[in-house]
Amino acid sequence: MPIKNTNSRYGWVSVGIHWLMALTVIGMFALGIWMRQLSYYDPWYRDGPSLHKGIGILLLIALLARIVWRNINIRPSDDPALKTWERVTAHLTHFALYGLMLALMVAGYLISTADGRPIDVFGLFNVPATLHGLPDQEDIAGEVHEILAWILILLAGVHALAALKHHFINRDSTLLKMLGRDANSTK
């Protein structure tokens, strides 16, 4: 598999970032749900959020890298069997996923820095609190964060189901390209 994308498949960088982010988003969603059930005396009451924040910042870096990589690479051609509405919906869904992830991470940042403290990313570096002290910042950002997380996970689920539909029902190359396989080798 090539490093960069070609007209017929994604390269290993795009494939790797895609699947790493997909697994991380699912893991972060599960961690977020689990953290809300912790009591004050649970040992993970402070460690869970620290883990969630650190991974969230690394995920933001991966998202920004993915967007840059997407813009400096060619994008494999859509499968010729796709209908116009499928093509448009797929592109809008990708932009919605990127936008949701970015908005979700901004909301998470606003929750984490509401008290003016920076976010410690596993002792490697700190992300400063540049915007803090707004009225009800933590509560409002928390509500937005939760709503966006549910929307993101639902949209990602639809995205995954669509990929499986294209693979098993339509038998086209849509999923194969994101697995690093050449679309032309399946015909």
Side-chain angles (χ1 to χ4, degrees):
M1 177 181 352
I3 292 175
K4 294 182 87 175
N5 303 341
T6 68
N7 284 324
S8 59
R9 70 173 160 197
Y10 289 97
W12 69 262
V13 172
S14 294
V15 171
I17 292 174
H18 174 273
W19 292 108
L20 176 67
M21 288 185 68
L23 293 173
T24 304
V25 164
I26 292 166
M28 289 287 280
F29 182 78
L31 178 59
I33 296 293
W34 177 71
M35 285 184 332
R36 295 193 53 135
Q37 311 306 315
L38 298 175
S39 73
Y40 180 79
Y41 297 103
D42 192 297
W44 277 95
Y45 184 78
R46 284 179 185 61
D47 293 340
S50 292
L51 181 65
H52 194 80
K53 292 173 195 179
I55 293 172
I57 295 296
L58 296 178
L59 189 59
L60 174 61
I61 293 168
L63 174 63
L64 296 175
R66 182 174 183 178
I67 291 169
V68 168
W69 188 253
R70 178 183 169 102
N71 286 316
I72 63 172
N73 267 285
I74 61 171
R75 198 178 62 73
S77 302
D78 292 323
D79 193 284
L82 288 180
K83 297 174 182 75
T84 301
W85 72 267
E86 290 175 312
R87 186 175 289 112
V88 169
T89 303
H91 292 287
L92 290 175
T93 300
H94 282 113
F95 286 118
L97 287 167
Y98 290 141
L100 278 167
M101 283 187 282
L102 188 58
L104 180 69
M105 293 173 198
V106 168
Y109 170 81
L110 291 173
I111 298 166
S112 301
T113 59
D115 61 2
R117 287 184 290 163
I119 300 171
D120 175 38
V121 183
F122 306 115
L124 301 172
F125 60 94
N126 287 323
V127 177
T130 57
L131 182 61
H132 57 85
L134 300 173
D136 300 318
Q137 177 177 335
E138 187 173 7
D139 294 334
I140 294 169
E143 287 293 322
V144 170
H145 190 71
E146 182 178 5
I147 291 166
L148 291 177
W150 279 103
I151 294 170
L152 176 63
I153 211 72
L154 290 172
L155 187 58
V158 169
H159 173 69
L161 289 173
L164 293 172
K165 177 240 182 218
H166 279 282
H167 187 72
F168 291 109
I169 295 173
N170 296 38
R171 299 196 181 279
D172 64 27
S173 64
T174 302
L175 179 60
L176 293 175
K177 288 186 284 189
M178 191 40 80
L179 294 172
R181 301 268 313 274
D182 193 318
N184 297 324
S185 67
T186 64
K187 307 269 187 223

